[in-house]
Amino acid sequence: MRQDDLYINKIDWITIGIYASLVIIGWFNIYAAVYDEQAAKSIFDFSINSGKQLVWIGTALLLITVIMVADYRLFENLSIILYGVFVIFLLITPFFGKEINGQRAWFEIGAFRLQPAEFAKFATALALAKFMERPSFDLSQVKYQLQALAIIMIPVSLIMLQPDTGTAMVYSAFFVMLYREGMPQRYYVLGLTFITISLLALGIENNLYLVIGVAVVLGVLNFMGKKSLRRSLSLLAIGAVVIGYSYSLDFVVSKLPTHQQNRIMVLFNPDLDPLGVGWNVTQSKIAIGSGGFWGKGYLEGTQTKFDFVPEQHTDFIFCTLGEEFGWVGSIVVVFLFCSLLIRLIILAERQKNRFSRVYGYCVISLLLFHFLINIAMTIGLFPVVGIPLPFFSYGGSSLWSFTILLFIFIKLDSHRIQFLGRMN
């Protein structure tokens, strides 16, 4: 057997099958989201989104071919160069990009648009893997933690200049990978504490209630523990920090753009202005709920036909699925995503070198974040932040970037034995 044939046999076809299933189901749902019964067009019509998405799918297949025939060492060798190239693209985007809805996040090429921030995700993942593969790299040491953080924060800072808060937020997903690679748990405890306090501060309208709650909790803790002046002062200091932070957060939120304030308000009060700021989420939940158990049937969604849900072919594509295929269809897609994530974890854990494992967990982290946030957003559990559903939402940048992200890892996995040979 030739060496090339050996590596073809090592390709994980299960992962590729799940990928193909999600892309195909997503394509049919994109057509459903733009379907007009009065002027029905073919799903292959290039004048509508489903036809354009078919072009993106076809070009994605070309990208897959290029990745799979390329030398697997190319991605490791070019990782820093690719990172630098996309950092430059992010740097110039606010100046030369196409402005859409107040954001300069796209380059327009004829009838198509490309979003550099989407492609910077896989470049950042490669750069992190390259830096962290060094034997001396140890996330228990502060200097290495700062290095990893710098690699993540450079693109985040540039994306915020566009400004695109939703995409910038996605880069926090890399902390899932950092946890797997040994980042101290205390940072995650502090992070969860920070998130909990933030939610309480934003969700409780009167901060006086929060002050009373903090005082009661700390009073109970002081009573239960061993009495000492040092302990009491420490608890008092913690209480002061929490209360001070809650008031500071209110001040920061008050300085955010109005549309971002409205999204936060709707999260904690879903019935707030259902015909205004709460329209998107309200209509999305109506669409999903109206699908019932089996759904209304393909191309039979009334919320879709009458265009009640804005951006239904992109950020809110999941509500099209929920309305037309119901609970059953939604569970099938959720199962596919969960299966993909579980499969990728299995692949990541069987890697023979740190570069491939780190990159694999970067892929897992990004897909998990998009999957959870997008669905949570459509059912009102998270503010609307404009995050697409991987392989499902309409858009070339999204499909291309996730395809490249995934298939680089599939390529690395198919050469895991060869990586072992290099190590030996």
Side-chain angles (χ1 to χ4, degrees):
M1 181 181 289
R2 291 185 308 157
Q3 211 175 35
D4 289 343
D5 294 333
L6 176 64
Y7 294 132
I8 289 175
N9 291 335
K10 294 294 182 180
I11 293 174
D12 191 74
W13 294 104
I14 295 176
T15 302
I16 293 177
I18 298 173
Y19 163 83
S21 300
L22 288 170
V23 170
I24 292 170
I25 296 172
W27 179 53
F28 278 103
N29 275 274
I30 289 169
Y31 178 63
V34 299
Y35 179 74
D36 184 351
E37 191 174 21
Q38 302 301 320
K41 296 181 179 181
S42 167
I43 192 172
F44 300 100
D45 192 321
F46 295 135
S47 67
I48 59 176
N49 288 337
S50 60
K52 295 176 183 177
Q53 187 72 2
L54 187 60
V55 174
W56 292 119
I57 293 172
T59 49
L61 293 177
L62 292 178
L63 288 173
I64 291 170
T65 303
V66 171
I67 291 170
M68 298 309 290
V69 300
D71 191 318
Y72 73 99
R73 293 164 292 194
L74 183 68
F75 307 109
E76 182 180 357
N77 295 336
L78 293 181
S79 56
I80 304 303
I81 295 174
L82 286 170
Y83 179 75
V85 167
F86 282 105
V87 165
I88 293 172
F89 277 131
L90 292 176
L91 188 61
I92 65 176
T93 300
F95 302 100
F96 301 102
K98 174 76 173 179
E99 183 172 348
I100 301 174
N101 296 328
Q103 297 177 345
R104 287 188 179 272
W106 293 266
F107 286 124
E108 196 166 52
I109 305 172
F112 298 99
R113 300 186 187 119
L114 292 175
Q115 188 176 7
E118 288 290 335
F119 297 97
K121 295 172 188 175
F122 81 82
T124 303
L126 286 171
L128 282 167
K130 182 64 176 177
F131 270 84
M132 293 176 62
E133 75 165 346
R134 292 173 293 171
S136 62
F137 198 96
D138 184 0
L139 279 172
S140 66
Q141 298 183 33
V142 174
K143 68 175 182 178
Y144 294 117
Q145 296 167 10
L146 293 176
Q147 287 180 15
L149 186 63
I151 294 171
I152 297 169
M153 289 307 298
I154 289 172
V156 168
S157 302
L158 295 175
I159 292 169
M160 288 300 294
L161 295 177
Q162 297 176 1
D164 187 354
T165 306
T167 302
M169 187 185 301
V170 169
Y171 284 73
S172 64
F174 287 117
F175 283 92
V176 175
M177 176 277 295
L178 293 176
Y179 179 80
R180 165 61 181 82
E181 293 302 314
M183 181 73 88
Q185 293 185 4
R186 61 179 177 272
Y187 295 127
Y188 296 87
V189 173
L190 288 173
L192 290 173
T193 302
F194 170 80
I195 292 171
T196 301
I197 295 172
S198 299
L199 291 174
L200 289 173
L202 293 171
I204 299 175
E205 294 185 13
N206 191 337
N207 275 332
L208 178 60
Y209 297 135
L210 181 61
V211 172
I212 295 173
V214 170
V216 170
V217 170
L218 294 179
V220 171
L221 290 175
N222 188 55
F223 176 78
M224 292 175 61
K226 184 178 179 180
K227 306 294 186 297
S228 71
L229 179 61
R230 181 178 179 181
R231 176 184 174 83
S232 298
L233 290 176
S234 298
L235 291 173
L236 186 63
I238 292 172
V241 169
V242 171
I243 293 168
Y245 170 73
S246 66
Y247 280 97
S248 300
L249 186 62
D250 285 345
F251 174 78
V252 171
V253 170
S254 69
K255 299 301 180 182
L256 291 175
T258 303
H259 72 280
Q260 292 184 357
Q261 293 185 42
N262 290 337
R263 289 173 179 176
I264 294 172
M265 292 166 60
V266 168
L267 176 66
F268 293 100
N269 187 0
D271 297 324
L272 176 69
D273 193 13
L275 299 180
V277 297
W279 175 266
N280 287 20
V281 175
T282 300
Q283 296 303 317
S284 176
K285 290 193 289 186
I286 290 173
I288 294 172
S290 66
F293 189 78
W294 293 108
K296 297 176 180 177
Y298 187 55
L299 304 181
E300 298 297 326
T302 54
Q303 294 293 110
T304 298
K305 285 182 180 178
F306 296 107
D307 200 25
F308 282 106
V309 184
E311 308 299 332
Q312 194 161 333
H313 59 297
T314 54
D315 301 338
F316 285 89
I317 189 73
F318 189 76
C319 69
T320 303
L321 175 76
E323 182 180 19
E324 299 194 346
F325 293 97
W327 183 86
V328 173
S330 300
I331 286 297
V332 168
V333 170
V334 169
F335 173 79
L336 285 173
F337 273 109
C338 291
S339 298
L340 177 61
L341 291 168
I342 292 170
R343 185 64 186 171
L344 290 176
I345 291 172
I346 294 171
L347 299 189
E349 288 296 332
R350 76 182 186 184
Q351 297 310 302
K352 306 302 181 181
N353 76 322
R354 195 175 190 184
F355 177 86
S356 298
R357 187 181 71 238
V358 169
Y359 182 79
Y361 270 98
C362 286
V363 176
I364 294 163
S365 302
L366 290 169
L367 291 177
L368 175 65
F369 190 92
H370 272 268
F371 166 61
L372 291 179
I373 298 302
N374 178 272
I375 293 180
M377 183 180 71
T378 60
I379 59 178
L381 296 179
F382 197 86
V384 178
V385 290
I387 292 179
L389 189 60
F391 315 122
F392 222 84
S393 295
Y394 170 77
S397 294
S398 174
L399 179 62
W400 276 15
S401 64
F402 281 118
T403 297
I404 294 170
L405 180 77
L406 177 64
F407 276 86
I408 287 177
F409 182 51
I410 292 175
K411 175 67 174 181
L412 294 175
D413 174 69
S414 68
H415 288 268
R416 62 188 181 277
I417 303 300
Q418 195 168 350
F419 267 112
L420 183 61
R422 284 172 54 192
M423 293 170 63
N424 293 334

